[in-house]
């Protein structure tokens, strides 16, 4: 297994005008000393839930304030946020000494410094089989009546993606607010800011929130494109769903703001929560996103989160809780082609969003920027090419060195270079991205880069040009898992397979606050960016469609439908590959690539009720208090029927098999959501090194919503040296295939 690098590489996530940095945790409340006293910082305070219910919110606030230090007249209030729905507690400004003292007060469960989380379309609906007036879009009424709450950097209300043409008024249950002076509309029904110190409405200055919101639920916009590329009709996955924006990210995405926004969203009445942000692997009882999400699913709200951009290393996931849909990133079948052609006649695949129509087809001198032996020059670092002769030449630069891809092109341009070929490092392999480069350029894979280097070294007069071919559709190897997509296993719970699913997250076109081209005053502006931040809202929108089509389904049932119907092969009918151009493993794909139409008719679902998680959480060896913090009730694990992690009724199996251990048997209960009278038999694609037995051989249903239970026994074979192996259990009826992925981790 690849081990996680100790060095973050921000360049991998730097796309277009917004920096999608890797997800990591920054303790915001590291107290500094000022005049001998600790400065005030924000802390998250969790309290033991009191017996009874406060009559009014003001009573709850008053109780919260009773825990705060006494303030002198004129001093600013210490309370930052008061939480009423997702957790029992508050965020407050405290010194380090005050925080330590508060931990000793009766009724306090925990006090910790807040963390800062980071941010982790015309063709993607069509790529996934969503077509106007046909199929699943039509059957789900385009998500009409469903409310998607997006936690992000804000939104651009006047963008045509947020037009309310054809939209009904919001449901009567909606209680949200709109902080824009001009108000909202029937598409964008709510907009609030939770960024501390920010005055004014939740306007989007970064672009990220506008992009993710329109991906999830943007309306139809004709003629959407970037630089004339990817031209077509843009829409979100659920184009008639309502949207509510909760701005939580400014300089960063503070934990207290995220928790406050989730608290408000649940009270406002959202059906779906979409969070394209995260903070690495954290115990669930200390993970505010996991805490907020649990209360959300208790109230029937589906929660979708990005997996993170720290791939391709194993164990790099964020948002691992089993009640969250954890989404990895994959490609679509569209590329913005920029083909490098060498003097020896060879051509290679490459991509660039910038497609000049006047770049000469004649061959130009080709040089490698690192020919002088300096690493900085090889990476085309700022200032590194001032003594390198690149004027009028095509320059081969290497990816990496903590330098943005577009910044490398800027260095080539500043020193007179005519064009850039950007080659991947070995880590990123074949994964390329269409960027809005500042000069004629193309991004190529690692093996292609080596071939170009070999050609340069073979001749004294190397030449090249770039042929710009624009938008190309139909790539048969799509979807592919991209290199930056974070991988499992889950470090917090090895018994739960994560990520759950992959969806489109590379070079995704969606709404943007300003014109990327800076040539027009039109409001119809779009941009193409990449990240698991982009794949998450695809799944959020698909969940909205499923909620509209099946309003009685629980969040767990919706997740199950998405996972058990996922595609395991690409458009060419071959196994999905990763950045190495070989079959992607289960810790990259999870259950596979989302297939919305099949998810609408899964046949069977694995349902989980909120209280079913309590025995699972106790099985993680959490204390009663830690489990109680998550489920917001008093828990006594000694009186629970504690279960092993893999015993949770999850739509996958993730098992740890010790060399000296015996067999392990796990049960699953499936509910019939297909024809009343149906029967299923199983097929098993057995993981290498494991013996698998399934009982019974057939499960039979006579009515809708009927439940049946089966068991699977796993045994490790001798002399197995693999770190893990994967397989699949498939329940097959006359109309449905229900896939349940299996991963065996060998201890």
């Amino acid at each position: 297994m690849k081990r996680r690098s100790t060095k973050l590489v921000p360049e991998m996530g730097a796309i277009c005008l917004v920096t999608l940095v890797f997800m990591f945790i920054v303790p915001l409340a590291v107290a500094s000393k000022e005049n001998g006293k600790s400065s005030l910082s924000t802390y998250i305070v969790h309290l033991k839930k009191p017996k009874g219910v406060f009559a009014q919110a003001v009573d709850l606030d008053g109780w919260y304030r009773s825990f705060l230090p006494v303030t002198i007249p004129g001093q600013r209030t210490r309370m930052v946020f008061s939480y009423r729905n997702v957790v029992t507690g508050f965020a407050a400004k405290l010194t380090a000494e005050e925080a330590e003292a508060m931990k000793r007060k009766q009724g306090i469960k925990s006090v910790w410094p807040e963390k800062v989380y980071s941010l982790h379309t015309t063709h993607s609906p069509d790529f996934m089989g969503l077509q106007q007036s046909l199929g699943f879009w039509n059957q789900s009424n385009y998500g009409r009546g469903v409310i998607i709450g997006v936690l992000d950097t804000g939104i651009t209300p006047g963008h045509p993606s947020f037009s309310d043409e054809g939209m009904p008024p919001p449901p009567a249950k909606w209680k949200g607010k709109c902080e824009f002076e001009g108000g909202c509309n029937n598409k964008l029904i709510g907009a609030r800011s939770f960024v501390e110190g920010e005055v004014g409405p939740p306007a989007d200055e970064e672009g990220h929130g506008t992009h993710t919101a329109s991906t999830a639920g943007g309306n139809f916009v004709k003629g959407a494109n970037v630089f004339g590329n990817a031209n077509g009709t843009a829409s979100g996955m659920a184009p008639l769903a309502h949207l509510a924006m909760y701005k939580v990210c400014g300089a960063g995405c503070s934990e207290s703001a995220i928790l406050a926004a989730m608290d408000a969203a649940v009270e406002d009445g959202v059906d779906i929560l979409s969070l394209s942000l995260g903070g690495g692997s954290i115990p669930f009882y200390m993970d505010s996103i996991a805490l907020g999400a649990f209360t959300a699913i208790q109230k029937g709200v589906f929660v979708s989160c990005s997996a993170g951009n720290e791939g391709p290393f194993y164990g790099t996931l964020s948002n691992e809780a089993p009640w969250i849909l954890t989404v990895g990133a994959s490609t679509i079948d569209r590329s913005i082609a920029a083909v490098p052609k060498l003097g020896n006649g060879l051509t290679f695949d490459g991509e660039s969003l910038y497609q000049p129509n006047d770049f000469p087809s004649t061959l130009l001198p080709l040089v490698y920027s690192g020919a002088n032996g300096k690493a900085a020059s090889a990476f085309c670092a700022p200032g590194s090419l001032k003594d390198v002769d690149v004027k009028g030449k095509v320059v081969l630069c290497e990816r990496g060195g903590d330098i943005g891809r577009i910044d490398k092109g800027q260095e080539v341009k500043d020193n007179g270079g005519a064009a850039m070929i950007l080659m991947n490092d070995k880590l990123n392999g074949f994964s390329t991205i269409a960027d809005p480069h500042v000069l004629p350029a193309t991004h190529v894979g690692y093996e292609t880069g080596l071939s170009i280097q070999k050609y340069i070294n073979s001749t004294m007069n190397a030449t090249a040009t770039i042929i710009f071919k624009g938008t190309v559709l139909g790539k048969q190897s799509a979807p592919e898992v991209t290199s930056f997509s974070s991988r499992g296993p889950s470090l917090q719970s090895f018994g739960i397979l994560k990520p759950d699913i992959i969806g489109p997250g590379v070079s995704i076109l969606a709404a943007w606050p300003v014109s990327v081209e800076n040539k027009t005053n039109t409001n119809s502006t779009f941009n193409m960016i990449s990240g698991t931040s982009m794949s998450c809202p695809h799944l959020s929108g698909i969940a909205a469609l499923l909620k509209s089509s099946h309003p009685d389904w629980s969040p767990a049932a919706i997740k199950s439908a998405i996972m058990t119907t996922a595609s395991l092969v690409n458009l060419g009918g071959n196994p999905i590959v990763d950045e190495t151009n070989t079959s992607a493993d289960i810790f990259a794909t999870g259950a596979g690539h989302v297939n919305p139409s099949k998810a609408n008719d899964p046949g069977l679902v694995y349902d989980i009720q909120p209280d079913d998680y309590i025995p699972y959480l106790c099985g993680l060896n959490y204390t009663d208090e830690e489990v109680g913090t998550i489920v917001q009730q008093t828990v006594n694990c000694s009186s629970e029927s504690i279960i092993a992690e893999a015993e949770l009724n999850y739509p996958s199996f993730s098992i740890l098999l010790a060399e000296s251990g015996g067999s392990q048997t796990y049960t699953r209960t499936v509910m019939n959501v297909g024809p009343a009278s149906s029967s299923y038999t199983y097929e098993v694609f057995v993981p290498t090194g494991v013996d698998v037995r399934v009982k019974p051989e057939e499960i039979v249903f006579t009515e809708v919503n009927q439940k049946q239970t089966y068991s699977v026994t796993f045994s490790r074979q001798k002399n197995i040296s693999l770190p893990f192996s994967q397989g699949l259990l498939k329940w097959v009826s006359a109309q449905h295939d229900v896939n349940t992925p299996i991963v065996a981790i060998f201890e």
Side-chain angles (χ1 to χ4, degrees):
M1 296 172 73
K2 303 183 186 78
R3 298 190 180 276
R4 181 177 181 174
S5 171
T6 57
K7 184 178 183 181
L8 296 178
V9 189
E11 178 270 342
M12 285 177 64
I15 313 294
C16 291
L17 305 180
V18 63
T19 300
L20 307 176
V21 296
F22 281 145
M23 298 194 292
F24 58 94
I25 305 169
V26 181
L28 189 65
V30 177
S32 61
K33 293 287 184 178
E34 295 178 3
N35 300 322
K37 296 182 179 180
S38 295
S39 62
L40 293 174
S41 297
T42 303
Y43 286 78
I44 307 291
V45 181
H46 289 271
L47 305 176
K48 294 179 180 178
K49 195 168 187 177
K51 294 181 180 179
V53 179
F54 285 98
Q56 298 180 9
V58 67
D59 298 329
L60 183 63
D61 288 344
W63 180 57
Y64 286 166
R65 291 182 188 280
S66 71
F67 291 93
L68 293 175
V70 177
T71 56
I72 60 175
Q75 188 178 45
R76 66 173 178 167
T77 179
R78 296 291 196 91
M79 186 74 75
V80 179
F81 293 112
S82 174
Y83 307 125
R84 296 190 294 274
N85 299 292
V86 295
V87 296
T88 303
F90 56 88
K93 294 290 186 182
L94 303 170
T95 66
E97 293 85 357
E98 289 169 342
E100 285 300 315
M102 187 174 286
K103 292 177 182 178
R104 297 188 288 272
K105 290 185 177 183
Q106 187 174 1
I108 297 289
K109 293 175 72 172
S110 62
V111 181
W112 67 66
E114 79 162 345
K115 299 174 283 289
V116 176
Y117 296 78
S118 56
L119 297 169
H120 280 174
T121 120
T122 51
H123 184 61
S124 53
D126 185 58
F127 174 66
M128 293 187 291
L130 298 175
Q131 299 178 0
Q132 286 183 256
S133 302
L134 296 173
F136 182 31
W137 251 355
N138 201 40
Q139 295 160 12
S140 65
N141 212 7
Y142 300 89
R144 187 186 300 267
V146 178
I147 303 170
I148 304 173
V150 182
L151 275 64
D152 217 292
T153 62
I155 197 164
T156 308
H159 196 284
S161 288
F162 308 123
S163 162
D164 65 354
E165 181 179 352
M167 294 289 303
K173 69 173 182 175
W174 176 244
K175 301 176 183 177
K177 302 176 183 178
C178 181
E179 295 178 354
F180 284 109
E181 186 175 344
C184 291
N185 61 18
N186 287 335
K187 164 58 74 175
L188 179 62
I189 61 174
R192 299 177 64 182
S193 177
F194 294 85
V195 178
E196 186 183 359
E198 182 172 291
V199 179
D204 187 10
E205 298 175 357
E206 301 293 331
H208 193 274
T210 299
H211 197 280
T212 57
S214 67
T215 300
N219 212 331
F220 294 103
V221 181
K222 295 181 179 179
N225 66 82
V226 182
F227 296 135
N229 299 305
N231 190 56
T233 299
S235 77
M237 295 297 102
L240 294 186
H242 304 286
L243 288 169
M245 172 57 68
Y246 300 86
K247 184 174 182 177
V248 297
C249 301
C253 309
S254 73
E255 182 180 17
S256 61
I258 293 168
L259 204 50
M262 297 180 82
D263 195 75
V266 168
E267 185 171 338
D268 290 346
V270 303
D271 299 297
I272 311 291
L273 275 173
S274 184
L275 290 82
S276 290
L277 46 86
S281 183
I282 321 169
F284 301 147
Y285 58 85
M286 294 183 66
D287 183 348
S288 287
I289 293 178
L291 295 176
F294 191 88
T295 302
I297 64 110
Q298 285 179 314
K299 298 179 184 296
V301 178
F302 184 91
V303 184
S304 172
C305 294
S306 50
N309 296 345
E310 295 192 66
F313 301 105
Y314 287 105
T316 53
L317 292 168
S318 289
N319 303 313
E320 302 162 282
W323 48 90
I324 292 172
L325 183 74
T326 309
V327 187
S330 55
T331 64
I332 59 177
D333 68 330
R334 178 185 65 203
S335 63
I336 314 299
V339 177
K341 180 180 180 181
L342 306 184
N344 60 6
L346 292 178
T347 59
F348 303 93
D349 291 334
E351 290 191 86
S352 175
L353 188 55
Y354 175 48
Q355 298 266 317
N357 54 20
D358 57 353
F359 190 69
S361 59
T362 54
L363 296 170
L364 300 173
L366 170 66
V367 295
Y368 168 49
S369 61
N372 60 6
K374 296 180 180 179
S377 298
F379 292 130
C380 293
S384 67
L385 300 183
K386 61 182 179 180
D387 296 323
V388 180
D389 182 14
V390 299
K391 189 172 183 179
K393 299 177 180 179
V394 178
V395 183
L396 177 67
C397 299
E398 294 185 30
R399 185 176 182 177
D402 291 352
I403 302 147
R405 295 184 299 276
I406 296 172
D407 294 337
K408 295 172 185 286
Q410 188 67 56
E411 175 65 13
V412 173
K413 182 178 180 180
D414 289 347
N415 288 278
M420 176 181 71
I421 300 175
L422 176 63
M423 65 172 284
N424 267 346
D425 52 11
K426 188 174 183 179
L427 186 69
N428 286 287
F430 288 81
S431 292
T432 58
I433 294 171
D435 285 321
H437 290 287
V438 296
L439 81 170
T442 182
H443 184 186
V444 301
Y446 176 66
E447 295 291 340
T448 293
L450 293 181
S451 296
I452 295 173
Q453 284 183 332
K454 184 178 180 181
Y455 164 67
I456 292 173
N457 293 333
S458 70
T459 177
M460 297 292 293
N461 298 297
T463 57
T465 189
I466 302 174
I467 303 169
F468 295 96
K469 294 189 173 183
T471 306
V472 178
L473 302 176
K475 188 176 182 181
Q476 293 298 291
S477 60
E480 305 165 358
V481 181
T482 189
S483 59
F484 61 72
S485 187
S486 287
R487 305 318 205 244
S490 167
L491 300 184
Q492 297 305 316
S493 183
F494 279 93
I496 301 296
L497 174 63
K498 290 283 182 171
D500 293 305
I501 199 79
I502 55 173
V506 179
S507 300
I508 301 302
L509 186 147
W512 201 250
V514 296
S515 172
V516 179
E517 300 175 65
N518 294 317
K519 294 179 182 177
T520 174
N521 294 320
T522 177
N523 288 325
S524 184
T525 52
F526 293 84
N527 199 4
M528 191 178 284
I529 59 178
S530 303
T532 54
S533 282
M534 283 62 256
S535 50
C536 167
H538 277 90
L539 271 296
S540 304
I542 290 166
L545 296 177
L546 293 171
K547 182 73 173 177
S548 179
S549 187
H550 304 279
D552 58 325
W553 281 6
S554 68
I558 292 173
K559 176 195 279 193
S560 173
I562 289 170
M563 292 176 62
T564 62
T565 58
S567 299
L568 301 175
V569 296
N570 57 28
L571 293 181
N574 297 310
I576 294 171
V577 300
D578 62 14
E579 73 285 344
T580 66
N581 205 30
T582 57
S583 294
D585 66 48
I586 201 165
F587 291 129
T589 64
H593 189 274
V594 62
N595 187 323
S597 297
K598 284 191 174 181
N600 191 43
D601 182 23
L604 305 175
V605 294
Y606 296 83
D607 204 5
I608 306 174
Q609 297 304 310
D611 283 352
D612 295 340
Y613 291 103
I614 295 176
Y616 157 80
L617 292 167
C618 290
L620 292 178
N621 293 321
Y622 288 174
T623 66
D624 293 348
E625 198 165 84
E626 289 165 349
V627 177
T629 297
I630 297 170
V631 302
Q632 289 295 289
Q633 65 189 62
T634 301
V635 172
N636 184 351
C637 284
S638 62
S639 64
E640 294 286 342
S641 299
I642 298 175
I643 62 173
E645 299 171 54
E647 187 67 25
L648 186 68
N649 199 46
Y650 213 69
S652 62
F653 289 96
S654 180
I655 54 173
L656 277 70
L657 295 175
E659 190 166 8
S660 57
S663 62
Q664 300 178 25
T665 300
Y666 299 101
T667 61
R668 290 290 189 272
T669 298
V670 288
M671 182 170 70
N672 180 30
V673 294
S677 179
S678 55
S679 62
Y680 290 79
T681 57
Y682 72 84
E683 298 175 13
V684 179
F685 300 86
V686 179
T688 301
V690 182
D691 294 321
V692 179
R693 287 176 292 142
V694 182
K695 293 183 179 180
E697 293 185 356
E698 182 182 29
I699 49 179
V700 179
F701 300 91
T702 57
E703 55 187 274
V704 176
N705 293 332
Q706 183 182 358
K707 296 181 179 180
Q708 295 284 13
T709 297
Y710 69 88
S711 67
V712 185
T713 300
F714 301 96
S715 303
R716 176 172 174 165
Q717 298 172 356
K718 295 181 179 180
N719 303 318
I720 298 300
S721 58
L722 299 170
F724 68 90
S725 66
Q726 62 192 62
L728 182 73
L729 170 62
K730 178 183 292 189
W731 287 100
V732 182
S733 74
Q735 298 180 36
H736 298 96
D737 289 350
V738 183
N739 293 333
T740 308
I742 301 169
V743 61
I745 302 172
F746 300 112
E747 294 184 296

